Amino acid sequence: MSWRILRRAGVLALTLVALAGAGRASALTLVPPKPNVLFGISDKGTALDFNETAGLLAKHPALLETFHPWGNSLNQAYERWRETATRPILAISTADDQTLAELITPAQIALGYGDDYLLQLNDFFAKRGLPAYIRPLGEPNRCLNAWSAVDCAGKQKGGEHTTGWYKQAFRRIAAIVRGGQALEGVNATLAEVGLPPVSRTKGPPPTSLPAAPVSIIWSPLPGGSPRVKGNFPGNYWPGARWVDWVGTDVYSQYPVWKDLKRFFASRHWRRKPVAITEWAVSGKDEPRFVKQLIAWTVKRPRVRMLVYYTGFGDGDNPYDLSLYPRTTNTLRQKIRRPTFLEYADYNAALLPAP
């Protein structure tokens, strides 16, 4: 790790200490200096997988996006983040990894039934001083996701799965995971939007929540799946106060450039940094798609994060880059420029083992 990175890490560490002692809610964007873009990949479960992908790309990814179901322990992921010298993105789902059964509904999250987990996340990142991007309930307008408000027939689910409950759940997640307030302050913040106070299953909640160095990403699809009334990104927008980055996903099978441009230009989040939280080629070699998306990114200075989705497993993984040599070669060439960062200034490698 270079001296410059370590020096910047020290500056950020002092900033985090100041935030922790500020006694108020603070939001960190963790945006790299212009014109840099944080390049990342998704987490396949081992440091070896990470190194193989980095070798294919001839570049170390700065970010590692880990997908976890609600309530999952972070201990193993923390070790991977450390081993790979990455800054984490934690993408949180409410579906069981194996059965896809729903673990908790948006309404239950909003009403505080999942606060044990949110307090755990706040404590985990604050205690370690680990900067991280938290991506809760991504792609809410994808009907296959348990937290979507619309089913795949285009009908509103209603009940505990409305856009209103989704937005309230997102606000609660942001308020508690960010922390940075006495308990009374957090409860007052929740009360402002009609949410109940922080609760814990065993014993009373902590008297204060430390400021966690996290940045909250809100990330719908750029259009809607299905494309029906009530299932577009704006229907799920929780408000600028609760969002640090806006993100979206785009794949070679669905190159909806009009939707992507419209999403980027929306007045609701025009002041927010933009992340492509998932993008990938699958099904066939598509070097042209890589060229198009990299060009789209470079022309838009607000786009400051680009995360390639590598799928899971080796035997039957349509997102495995090794299946697409021309795509891989094109991507390797396009991210060679130094503005696509290989390391975040402060990453998990600088932290001690658990």
Side-chain angles (χ1 to χ4, degrees), residues 220-238:
L221 294 174
S225 176
R227 296 176 60 88
V228 295
K229 183 179 180 181
N231 200 40
F232 291 100
N235 299 118
Y236 295 85
W237 174 237

Side-chain angles (χ1 to χ4, degrees), residues 38 40-41 43 63-68 81 86-92 125 131-135 215 217 275-277 305-307:
L38 286 163
I41 61 174
D43 187 353
L63 307 177
L64 185 60
E65 181 170 13
T66 300
F67 293 82
H68 267 193
W81 300 332
T86 52
R87 182 181 288 173
I89 304 171
L90 178 62
I92 302 169
F125 290 104
Y133 305 92
I134 308 298
R135 184 193 173 200
S215 196
I217 303 177
I276 303 299
T277 42
M305 182 188 295
L306 194 64
V307 182

Side-chain angles (χ1 to χ4, degrees), residues 308-338:
Y308 195 89
Y309 181 76
T310 57
F312 295 95
D314 297 318
D316 186 23
N317 177 12
Y319 301 101
D320 185 349
L321 268 172
S322 65
L323 298 174
Y324 311 112
R326 291 188 300 132
T327 294
T328 302
N329 185 56
T330 301
L331 180 55
R332 185 190 304 120
Q333 292 177 11
K334 292 297 181 181
I335 62 173
R336 204 167 41 181
R337 63 186 82 190

Side-chain angles (χ1 to χ4, degrees), residues 133-279:
Y133 305 92
I134 308 298
R135 184 193 173 200
L137 313 183
E139 298 185 353
N141 53 342
R142 177 176 180 257
C143 65
L144 294 175
N145 287 330
W147 51 95
S148 175
V150 172
D151 65 24
C152 292
K155 296 180 180 179
Q156 296 289 327
K157 292 180 181 177
E160 298 185 15
H161 298 83
T162 65
T163 55
W165 280 126
Y166 170 87
K167 289 184 279 190
Q168 290 289 66
F170 196 98
R171 291 163 184 155
R172 188 176 197 91
I173 294 168
I176 296 176
V177 177
R178 281 175 177 164
Q181 292 179 292
L183 180 62
E184 292 82 357
V186 177
N187 287 339
T189 298
L190 295 172
E192 287 178 34
V193 288
L195 294 175
V198 177
S199 64
R200 189 156 64 180
T201 303
K202 295 182 180 179
T207 56
S208 64
L209 275 63
V214 298
S215 196
I216 308 295
I217 303 177
W218 172 77
S219 56
L221 294 174
S225 176
R227 296 176 60 88
V228 295
K229 183 179 180 181
N231 200 40
F232 291 100
N235 299 118
Y236 295 85
W237 174 237
R241 177 182 180 182
W242 315 97
V243 175
D244 301 315
W245 289 67
V246 296
T248 195
D249 302 341
V250 57
Y251 285 84
S252 61
Q253 305 136 290
Y254 315 104
V256 283
W257 298 108
K258 288 183 179 179
D259 285 344
L260 191 59
K261 291 175 183 177
R262 188 181 300 113
F263 178 86
F264 178 85
S266 174
R267 62 182 179 84
H268 295 296
W269 46 85
R270 66 181 181 275
R271 300 185 187 279
K272 300 289 183 181
V274 174
I276 303 299
T277 42
E278 295 174 37
W279 72 287

